[in-house]
Amino acid sequence: MLTLGLTDGATFIPFAFSLLSSHRKENQLCPMDASVDGRSKRAHLRKESQEKTPEVFFNLLDGALKHCPLVSTILFDSWFSFPALIRKCALRGLSVVCMLKNTPKIYYSFGGKVLSLSSLFTRIQKRPHGNIIGSGVVNLNLTGKPLLARIVFVRSEKQKSQWLALLSTDLSLSEDEIVTLYGKRWDIEVFFKMVKSVLKLTREFQVRSYDALVSHTSIVFIRYIMLAVIARRNTDPRTFGELFYACYDEIQDITLMEALTLLLELLKTTIKQILVLSEEKVKELLIYFVNSLPAWLREKVLLLNCES
């Protein structure tokens, strides 16, 4: 089940899917029934199921771009992370963030040399600490117009001695942003777990009709979409009409130094009004107050006094 979903970072919605068989005749259990009208949707789906997976991938992607032109980034795992496929995504105006396969059959141009992923790892500058080991900018197109991408090497959580590689064709993203953005792809794994375990995608019916399989999968996806919409409306504060944006506009961000200035001015005014002290006594109290603060905060307050 090849599935394409849409997400804004908070809610995942399954957009399209295709139940694949095989493009090899010897691996197909049953051929397509000759009585099926070749112009019908039934025939189209059956033909699509016998195409190669990358071809179906772009069929689903082009359908999404047709109805959702604001899509700007596509995330996928290492199954699709071939330079040729990434280049085709870039031609559609999409930036790609994906995990890479550590295989000697795929090469990248780095520093004027053509290297495998493992060879590239040995040449980048390493970081001694942190989960991000390092990164490098490579060229994915070895023959034609260059297509630059950043490859980020991350320590594996399971085995600290091992590493994983993430790729982004958007060079404006930092290493941390690439890791965070790829983490959004986990939403589709949660979706798979939900539809299989809770919505009974694989256990509710036992059928041998391809049409019935497609229909049942569509119904399960619609159930999930309804639950996702309900969860969005009930738990996400961004759905409270204009209230969220009204509050956001009212609360302006201020720096720590500005906040300290306001607090000190308020403290000085309060002391003068309630205790009715002279200016010298007020300064003594403020000095005592500042000296009682933690060292890191006291330094900022002294710096603030110097600037003012």
Side-chain angles (χ1 to χ4, degrees):
M1 184 178 69
L2 182 61
T3 306
L4 176 69
L6 298 174
T7 180
D8 61 352
T11 302
F12 175 86
I13 295 295
F15 182 84
F17 71 92
S18 182
L19 301 181
L20 301 180
S21 172
S22 175
H23 67 280
R24 297 181 179 179
K25 296 292 184 180
E26 61 271 17
N27 294 337
Q28 297 173 8
L29 181 61
C30 299
M32 186 169 67
D33 190 347
S35 63
V36 177
D37 189 346
R39 298 167 297 178
S40 65
K41 185 67 174 179
R42 297 175 61 196
H44 171 75
L45 291 175
R46 284 164 169 76
K47 291 177 181 178
E48 184 181 70
S49 70
Q50 297 174 2
E51 294 178 357
K52 294 182 178 180
T53 304
E55 296 175 0
V56 181
F57 169 89
F58 284 110
N59 291 340
L60 300 181
L61 180 59
D62 291 338
L65 294 176
K66 180 179 179 181
H67 294 89
C68 307
L70 295 180
V71 173
S72 59
T73 304
I74 182 167
L75 312 176
F76 47 78
D77 59 10
S78 59
W79 206 96
F80 293 100
S81 60
F82 296 99
L85 190 144
I86 296 172
R87 290 196 298 268
K88 290 182 179 179
C89 291
L91 291 176
R92 286 165 168 80
L94 296 174
S95 60
V96 175
V97 176
C98 64
M99 183 173 288
L100 298 176
K101 294 180 179 179
N102 185 14
T103 171
K105 296 182 180 180
I106 300 178
Y107 298 97
Y108 309 91
S109 176
F110 178 76
K113 295 185 178 181
V114 178
L115 305 170
S116 65
L117 193 60
S118 297
S119 300
L120 175 63
F121 177 76
T122 61
R123 291 175 178 268
I124 65 166
Q125 185 175 359
K126 311 294 193 304
R127 295 183 182 178
H129 306 291
N131 292 326
I132 297 178
I133 303 174
S135 66
V137 176
V138 301
N139 178 20
L140 298 178
N141 196 356
L142 304 180
T143 57
K145 182 179 179 180
L147 175 59
L148 301 181
R150 186 184 306 279
I151 296 180
V152 180
F153 293 92
V154 184
R155 299 185 197 278
S156 174
E157 292 185 356
K158 297 180 179 179
Q159 296 182 345
K160 295 300 182 180
S161 60
Q162 302 297 320
W163 49 265
L164 304 173
L166 304 179
L167 177 143
S168 172
T169 56
D170 186 355
L171 298 182
S172 65
L173 296 177
S174 66
E175 296 173 348
D176 291 326
E177 288 173 330
I178 293 172
V179 175
T180 301
L181 188 55
Y182 183 76
K184 300 293 183 182
R185 202 199 68 83
W186 185 250
D187 290 346
I188 199 171
E189 303 295 344
V190 176
F191 161 75
F192 287 143
K193 179 67 175 179
M194 175 68 73
V195 296
K196 292 178 181 179
S197 301
V198 179
L199 301 180
K200 300 180 180 180
L201 175 63
T202 59
R203 293 177 294 162
E204 190 170 12
F205 292 104
Q206 296 292 327
V207 294
R208 299 182 65 183
S209 167
Y210 186 77
D211 296 326
L213 290 171
V214 172
S215 300
H216 177 232
T217 304
S218 301
I219 292 172
V220 171
F221 277 30
I222 292 172
R223 291 175 187 166
Y224 182 89
I225 293 172
M226 294 171 66
L227 293 173
V229 171
I230 292 173
R232 178 71 170 239
R233 289 180 175 176
N234 293 340
T235 61
D236 193 336
R238 289 172 295 182
T239 60
F240 296 160
E242 296 297 324
L243 178 61
F244 174 82
Y245 295 102
C247 295
Y248 179 82
D249 293 336
E250 290 293 330
I251 303 175
Q252 296 183 356
D253 293 334
I254 61 175
T255 64
L256 176 61
M257 303 294 280
E258 292 172 337
L260 289 174
T261 303
L262 294 174
L263 289 174
L264 289 175
E265 290 297 329
L266 179 61
L267 178 60
K268 185 186 299 184
T269 304
T270 303
I271 292 175
K272 287 182 179 180
Q273 291 178 352
I274 296 178
L275 300 180
V276 193
L277 299 176
S278 63
E279 190 70 26
E280 289 75 13
K281 290 293 183 181
V282 171
K283 289 183 178 180
E284 290 180 7
L285 287 174
L286 287 177
I287 292 174
Y288 178 80
F289 171 75
V290 171
N291 291 332
S292 302
L293 295 175
W296 67 271
L297 187 56
R298 184 168 60 250
E299 292 177 0
K300 291 186 177 296
V301 174
L302 293 176
L303 177 62
L304 181 64
N305 289 334
C306 294
E307 293 177 349
S308 59

